[in-house]
Amino acid sequence: MTKLSNEIVLRPRFSLKLDHSSDEIKLLFNQAKSEQVAFKISCVDDHIFIKLPKNQQHFWSPQLHLEFEEAEKNSCSIKGFFGPNPTIWTMFIFLHVGVGILFMINATWMYSNYSLGNPLDIQIWIFIVLILIWVLLYVAGTVGKKKGRPDMQELYYFMMTILPSQTALQP
């Protein structure tokens, strides 16, 4: 069985090549969906989402997204990636974009005041506050990734128990 690396990346990705058709693999996941309660499995077309059950989820809980591509008659590849809950991901992107826009507005305001020879105290303090917010967002994201790491490993190993044993990890 392949192990996940210890490196924490934003949205870890992997690829698997299987000697089974995607329909056979999806059937295995559909069977697992009805035979176990440790994970929530959602199957939509060529996509499978594996999550922890609601009662075990926390703010930083990741989900595993698998996408199937038919390679040949009896083989397929799976592209998988771990990501945060889409709501959390959207919130973080929104906050980063918001801070970036405020940063640009403040820079314009600061340049205008500088050109007019006005004091820049307020703009400098706003820059400091925005930089602190960016640092806090970075720290929160790092803490979230570390907190979600054991869940990512659980999701990965669960997926590997469902897949046929001759699965090979592709770089």
Side-chain angles (χ1 to χ4, degrees):
M1 186 177 325
T2 306
K3 288 186 173 184
L4 290 173
S5 69
N6 286 331
E7 182 183 336
I8 297 176
V9 294
L10 187 58
R11 294 175 76 176
R13 297 174 185 275
F14 60 90
S15 180
L16 302 170
K17 176 87 169 132
L18 303 173
D19 292 331
H20 297 276
S21 71
S22 61
D23 291 333
E24 292 172 329
I25 303 301
K26 287 186 268 186
L27 182 63
L28 292 172
F29 279 98
N30 278 322
Q31 288 172 346
K33 180 179 179 177
S34 60
E35 295 172 355
Q36 58 80 40
V37 293
F39 296 93
K40 182 179 181 217
I41 301 173
S42 303
C43 303
V44 179
D45 296 329
D46 288 338
H47 301 268
I48 293 179
F49 300 90
I50 305 173
K51 304 176 187 179
L52 294 171
K54 283 278 187 201
N55 63 349
Q56 294 179 7
Q57 288 182 7
H58 51 82
F59 187 74
W60 301 107
S61 289
Q63 67 179 17
L64 175 56
H65 174 207
L66 304 173
E67 182 178 357
F68 294 88
E69 293 179 359
E70 203 70 43
E72 296 172 13
K73 183 173 172 99
N74 281 332
S75 69
C76 71
S77 64
I78 299 175
K79 294 186 179 186
F81 72 89
F82 297 94
N85 178 322
T87 306
I88 302 302
W89 182 253
T90 303
M91 179 192 71
F92 266 92
I93 296 300
F94 176 77
L95 290 173
H96 279 281
V97 168
V99 169
I101 289 171
L102 291 174
F103 196 86
M104 295 304 293
I105 290 170
N106 190 52
T108 304
W109 185 25
M110 185 176 192
Y111 177 73
S112 297
N113 279 342
Y114 176 77
S115 296
L116 295 172
N118 294 338
L120 305 175
D121 298 342
I122 293 172
Q123 292 82 21
I124 291 172
W125 280 107
I126 291 173
F127 272 133
I128 292 170
V129 168
L130 289 174
I131 290 169
L132 287 175
I133 291 172
W134 258 332
V135 169
L136 288 173
L137 286 172
Y138 175 78
V139 169
T142 303
V143 167
K145 287 185 281 185
K146 286 181 182 176
K147 192 168 184 179
R149 180 103 182 126
D151 294 336
M152 284 186 351
Q153 289 176 327
E154 280 184 54
L155 292 168
Y156 183 80
Y157 293 128
F158 172 71
M159 175 205 65
M160 293 304 284
T161 62
I162 294 172
L163 295 175
S165 60
Q166 66 265 23
T167 302
L169 183 67
Q170 300 295 314

